[in-house]
Coordinates of all heavy atoms in Angstrom, one line a residue:
L235 N 15.4 -0.8 12.5 CA 15.7 0.6 12.3 C 17.2 0.8 12.3 O 17.9 0.2 13.1 CB 15.1 1.5 13.4 CG 13.6 1.7 13.4 CD1 13.1 2.4 14.6 CD2 13.2 2.5 12.2
G236 N 17.7 1.5 11.3 CA 19.1 1.7 11.2 C 19.8 0.7 10.3 O 20.9 0.9 9.9
G237 N 19.1 -0.4 10.0 CA 19.6 -1.4 9.1 C 19.4 -1.0 7.6 O 18.8 0.0 7.3
A238 N 20.0 -1.8 6.8 CA 19.9 -1.7 5.3 C 18.9 -2.6 4.7 O 18.8 -3.7 5.2 CB 21.3 -1.8 4.7
L239 N 18.2 -2.1 3.7 CA 17.3 -3.0 2.9 C 17.6 -2.8 1.5 O 17.6 -1.7 0.9 CB 15.8 -2.5 3.2 CG 14.7 -3.5 2.6 CD1 14.8 -4.8 3.3 CD2 13.4 -2.9 2.8
A240 N 18.0 -3.9 0.8 CA 18.5 -3.8 -0.5 C 17.4 -3.3 -1.5 O 16.2 -3.5 -1.2 CB 18.9 -5.2 -1.0
P241 N 17.8 -2.6 -2.5 CA 16.9 -2.1 -3.5 C 15.9 -3.1 -4.0 O 14.7 -2.9 -4.2 CB 17.8 -1.5 -4.6 CG 19.0 -1.2 -4.0 CD 19.2 -2.2 -2.9
A242 N 16.4 -4.3 -4.3 CA 15.5 -5.4 -4.8 C 14.4 -5.8 -3.7 O 13.3 -6.1 -4.1 CB 16.3 -6.7 -5.1
A243 N 14.8 -5.7 -2.5 CA 13.8 -6.0 -1.4 C 12.8 -4.9 -1.3 O 11.6 -5.1 -1.1 CB 14.5 -6.2 0.0
R244 N 13.2 -3.6 -1.5 CA 12.3 -2.5 -1.5 C 11.3 -2.7 -2.6 O 10.1 -2.5 -2.5 CB 13.0 -1.2 -1.7 CG 14.0 -0.9 -0.6 CD 14.5 0.5 -0.8 NE 15.8 0.7 -0.1 CZ 16.5 1.9 -0.1 NH1 16.0 3.0 -0.8 NH2 17.6 2.0 0.6
E245 N 11.8 -3.1 -3.8 CA 10.9 -3.2 -5.0 C 9.9 -4.4 -4.7 O 8.7 -4.3 -5.1 CB 11.7 -3.5 -6.2 CG 12.5 -2.3 -6.7 CD 13.2 -2.5 -8.0 OE1 13.0 -3.6 -8.6 OE2 14.0 -1.7 -8.4
A246 N 10.4 -5.4 -4.0 CA 9.5 -6.6 -3.7 C 8.4 -6.1 -2.8 O 7.2 -6.5 -2.9 CB 10.3 -7.7 -3.1
V247 N 8.7 -5.3 -1.8 CA 7.7 -4.8 -0.9 C 6.6 -3.9 -1.6 O 5.4 -4.1 -1.5 CB 8.3 -3.9 0.2 CG1 7.2 -3.2 1.0 CG2 9.2 -4.8 1.2
A248 N 7.1 -3.1 -2.5 CA 6.3 -2.2 -3.3 C 5.3 -3.1 -4.2 O 4.1 -2.8 -4.3 CB 7.0 -1.3 -4.2
R249 N 5.9 -4.1 -4.9 CA 5.1 -5.0 -5.7 C 4.0 -5.7 -4.9 O 2.9 -5.9 -5.4 CB 6.0 -6.0 -6.5 CG 6.7 -5.4 -7.6 CD 7.3 -6.5 -8.5 NE 8.1 -7.4 -7.8 CZ 9.5 -7.3 -7.6 NH1 10.1 -6.2 -8.1 NH2 10.1 -8.2 -7.0
L250 N 4.4 -6.2 -3.7 CA 3.4 -6.9 -2.9 C 2.3 -6.0 -2.4 O 1.1 -6.4 -2.4 CB 4.2 -7.5 -1.7 CG 3.3 -8.5 -0.8 CD1 2.7 -9.6 -1.6 CD2 4.2 -9.0 0.3
L251 N 2.6 -4.7 -2.1 CA 1.6 -3.7 -1.7 C 0.6 -3.5 -2.9 O -0.6 -3.5 -2.7 CB 2.2 -2.4 -1.3 CG 2.8 -2.3 0.1 CD1 3.7 -1.0 0.2 CD2 1.7 -2.4 1.1
V252 N 1.2 -3.4 -4.1 CA 0.4 -3.2 -5.3 C -0.5 -4.4 -5.6 O -1.7 -4.3 -6.0 CB 1.2 -2.8 -6.5 CG1 0.4 -2.7 -7.8 CG2 1.9 -1.4 -6.2

Side-chain angles (χ1 to χ4, degrees):
L235 287 174
L239 190 64
R244 298 186 201 182
E245 291 184 8
V247 171
R249 286 196 302 270
L250 189 54
L251 282 170
V252 172

